[in-house]
Amino acid sequence: MPTREFLEPVFIDAFDLDDAWFQTLSAILDKGHVYQITRGSYEGQKRLEFDFVVVRARKPSHQIIPIIPEGMSIPAPTDMDYVQGYLSYLMTGAKTETEDYTYGERLVEPRVKVKETVNGKDMVREIPLKVNQIEEVIKMYKEKGEGTNQAIMEIGMPSDIKLVDPPCLRLIDTRIRYGKLHFILYFRSWDLWGGFPSNLGGLQLVKQYMASEIGVDDGEMVAVSKGLHLYDYAWDLAKLRTNKTNPEAFKQDKK
């Protein structure tokens, strides 16, 4: 039987993205919930997951990717070459024939898929929405100023509920305050070991670009998720990185 009655929210207050990754790894080993995946990626495997987490990075540009100390036999979860490549994924609408979507497509060149029957055959047609959300947010701030709560960019669509792998990142909300552009992100599900540092690294570069175009300074990043997790293959890696040998999360009764 589960040992908890209520959800346990966790708040991480970090300096930069390297610090955010390290603190969050440490926290999930003590505050996470172990369960077996019944639907979704890696079905049948075990996952360690926060009930709900808010991760704040005050100076995300200071150190964008995690630093692995010398002497630790741990592979780096990402690097700047990968993050730079990920930036193009976020800033263009290009996708392969096997991809249902990309974050970049949803941001700058979104399309709606419509099923039709033509001459007795079922067809899928993509209708472009003709909106670049990144450029629209930049335009909104430049023309109307910072006093708005409407400058939000959406990744998710209602039809995503039918996808085998729906988008993990759903919303990129923005705020200009104290002369800086801030991002507030929502992830429905999120891999802490590899996805977290690459996702936030790429999004930080997007934020820096947008801040420059608007004419303000680069600000904070706040990420929210009820599904930030570690797959079981990364548990030992996380213990090594945080120097934890017997984390609290693994002492709990498990379903």
Side-chain angles (χ1 to χ4, degrees):
M1 294 294 293
T3 58
R4 297 178 185 170
E5 183 180 1
F6 300 106
L7 297 176
E8 185 174 4
V10 173
F11 177 62
I12 306 293
D13 192 355
F15 178 67
D16 55 22
L17 295 184
D18 171 47
D19 184 34
W21 185 69
F22 178 82
Q23 284 199 48
T24 309
L25 275 181
S26 181
I28 201 171
L29 292 175
D30 289 329
K31 303 290 187 178
H33 168 69
V34 177
Y35 72 100
Q36 189 166 7
I37 304 165
T38 59
R39 175 185 165 134
S41 302
Y42 302 97
E43 187 173 315
Q45 294 189 24
K46 287 187 176 180
R47 196 152 59 185
L48 179 64
E49 188 169 273
F50 287 110
D51 289 341
F52 182 79
V53 66
V54 178
V55 183
R56 174 197 193 188
R58 295 172 182 249
K59 296 279 187 180
S61 64
H62 177 266
Q63 179 60 46
I64 290 177
I65 60 172
I67 298 173
I68 303 298
E70 289 187 21
M72 279 193 169
S73 56
I74 301 173
T78 194
D79 57 41
M80 279 307 298
D81 286 341
Y82 185 87
V83 170
Q84 290 285 356
Y86 188 70
L87 176 63
S88 64
Y89 168 89
L90 292 168
M91 296 285 287
T92 73
K95 68 175 181 178
T96 66
E97 291 183 0
T98 60
E99 291 177 309
D100 290 311
Y101 65 90
T102 69
Y103 291 161
E105 179 201 37
R106 294 289 177 85
L107 284 171
V108 306
E109 199 177 340
R111 306 177 186 98
V112 175
K113 290 184 178 180
V114 178
K115 290 184 178 180
E116 299 176 325
T117 302
V118 180
N119 297 326
K121 294 183 179 180
D122 291 334
M123 309 278 289
V124 176
R125 182 163 61 97
E126 289 191 338
I127 302 175
L129 298 182
K130 298 181 180 180
V131 59
N132 182 321
Q133 296 186 83
I134 291 176
E135 296 305 319
E136 286 298 323
V137 167
I138 292 170
K139 179 181 177 182
M140 187 184 301
Y141 280 129
K142 290 179 74 171
E143 294 185 353
K144 295 295 184 177
E146 65 187 57
T148 181
N149 282 324
Q150 296 183 348
I152 185 169
M153 299 176 284
E154 299 186 34
I155 305 295
M157 292 183 177
S159 56
D160 289 338
I161 194 71
K162 293 186 175 182
L163 295 178
V164 175
D165 293 305
C168 294
L169 173 62
R170 308 309 286 247
L171 295 170
I172 304 174
D173 207 353
T174 74
R175 157 83 71 202
I176 294 179
R177 186 152 291 173
Y178 313 123
K180 300 176 183 179
L181 176 67
H182 310 284
F183 269 12
I184 298 89
L185 315 167
Y186 179 73
F187 287 83
R188 64 159 186 86
S189 185
W190 201 11
D191 170 32
L192 175 53
W193 184 260
F196 180 106
S198 296
N199 295 150
L200 293 189
L203 289 165
Q204 171 58 25
L205 297 183
V206 173
K207 180 159 64 67
Q208 289 176 188
Y209 161 75
M210 294 179 68
S212 176
E213 289 295 304
I214 295 166
V216 296
D217 291 333
D218 177 59
E220 300 182 24
M221 188 172 286
V222 180
V224 179
S225 182
K226 65 91 180 72
L228 183 56
H229 58 261
L230 273 179
Y231 292 111
D232 51 9
Y233 79 85
W235 292 354
D236 288 340
L237 293 172
K239 292 176 189 177
L240 286 171
R241 179 63 188 91
T242 58
N243 295 310
K244 291 191 173 184
T245 57
N246 191 22
E248 289 296 320
F250 297 97
K251 299 176 184 178
Q252 304 168 18
D253 293 335
K254 307 171 182 62
K255 283 187 174 181

